[in-house]
Amino acid sequence: LESLNGRSLVPKKDYTKNWLEFNQLQLVNGTTLVVDETKMKTGNLNETGIRNLQALKTMVETQTLSYDFQYYVSEMPVDLQVLILSEGTSLLAAEIEVPLKTTGTFKYSVGKLEEDENLIDLARKYFAILNSDDVEVEISEEVCKFIENDFVELRKTGDKAVDAGFFHQLLTLTKIEALSYGEESVSQERYLEVKKQETERLERIKAKPTKGTSKTN
């Protein structure tokens, strides 16, 4: 809350100094931005906070950043990946929601992750590889046909979440999975792994308690 209500995140032209003031959302294309909502406390947003929240929402939803030139506002395209950490419903609209399900004591907290420079550096390199235009993952005709046939069977379940967008998402995630294993082509094994993960993710979303209800063990 203090971060939102403090300094403006919207780049603004200072005509007195004749320069554009640097702001935290002015990032290099390909940057992965982590928005940690777990540290937010209850309170109210001031005028700056409202503008900052709207700027974040617009950036996440449209991949554009507003530049305030006082006399007019200009929308500039950006290419950023945004990871939102939240203990409840996020203030921002995430394209993919992943409810976490822990199976034991996690080695790192968010605070410890921030302090582990080596791990952060490895994460940066990993995301850089995933976003590189020089790295390609191929899908053979045989595997492509297998995926298409399997998706047709998925559609027969009647799940509204299984649509054309979900199919495109499956393909993208399968390529990322293969790339994460250092593979240059997609296999049926990688596809089935991703499908299992995505099926479990959708089940977790359905199992989340709705507003006004509670869930007990």
Side-chain angles (χ1 to χ4, degrees):
L1 195 63
E2 293 178 356
S3 298
L4 288 174
N5 285 338
R7 181 182 176 184
S8 175
L9 300 178
V10 178
K12 185 177 181 180
K13 177 68 177 288
D14 186 333
Y15 285 93
T16 303
K17 299 178 181 178
N18 196 30
W19 68 28
L20 192 64
E21 295 179 350
F22 174 80
N23 293 85
Q24 288 177 290
L25 293 185
Q26 287 176 271
L27 302 168
V28 177
N29 283 347
T31 297
T32 298
L33 175 66
V34 179
V35 180
D36 184 9
E37 296 182 354
T38 63
K39 297 180 180 179
M40 286 193 67
K41 300 178 181 179
T42 57
N44 298 319
L45 291 174
N46 57 26
E47 185 177 345
T48 299
I50 293 173
R51 286 201 305 269
N52 285 338
L53 180 59
Q54 186 57 52
L56 278 170
K57 285 183 176 181
T58 300
M59 189 189 70
V60 171
E61 295 172 12
T62 68
Q63 285 289 288
T64 58
L65 178 61
S66 299
Y67 282 70
D68 183 2
F69 289 93
Q70 295 188 34
Y71 305 106
Y72 65 95
V73 174
S74 180
E75 302 290 340
M76 301 292 185
V78 297
D79 181 15
L80 306 175
Q81 290 75 50
V82 184
L83 176 62
I84 306 165
L85 304 177
S86 178
E87 294 179 340
T89 302
S90 174
L91 296 173
L92 306 174
E95 185 176 353
I96 299 178
E97 179 183 2
V98 185
L100 296 182
K101 181 180 179 182
T102 57
T103 56
T105 303
F106 186 51
K107 181 179 179 181
Y108 293 97
S109 65
V110 174
K112 288 183 178 179
L113 286 172
E114 292 175 347
E115 297 171 1
D116 193 330
E117 289 294 335
N118 182 56
L119 189 61
I120 291 176
D121 187 53
L122 289 174
R124 287 182 179 134
K125 291 178 180 178
Y126 174 71
F127 286 122
I129 292 172
L130 295 185
N131 291 305
S132 174
D133 293 331
D134 298 326
V135 179
E136 294 185 2
V137 179
E138 298 180 351
I139 302 181
S140 67
E141 185 175 341
E142 178 184 356
V143 173
C144 188
K145 189 65 176 177
F146 172 81
I147 295 175
E148 289 176 355
N149 291 337
D150 187 70
F151 182 72
V152 171
E153 293 301 315
L154 275 177
R155 290 293 298 269
K156 292 179 181 179
T157 63
D159 192 334
K160 294 181 180 180
V162 181
D163 54 14
F166 181 76
F167 179 65
H168 175 72
Q169 185 173 296
L170 270 181
L171 288 179
T172 301
L173 292 175
T174 301
K175 289 181 179 180
I176 291 175
E177 182 85 352
L179 190 58
S180 298
Y181 280 88
E183 299 167 353
E184 297 180 351
S185 61
V186 168
S187 64
Q188 293 183 17
E189 178 187 3
R190 297 297 174 224
Y191 165 75
L192 292 174
E193 287 174 357
V194 170
K195 188 184 79 169
K196 180 176 181 295
Q197 294 166 3
E198 281 299 278
T199 301
E200 291 176 351
R201 182 181 69 83
L202 293 178
E203 288 301 321
R204 289 181 193 175
I205 292 176
K206 292 177 183 177
K208 285 176 58 180
T210 56
K211 188 177 181 180
T213 64
S214 61
K215 185 178 180 181
T216 58
N217 293 328

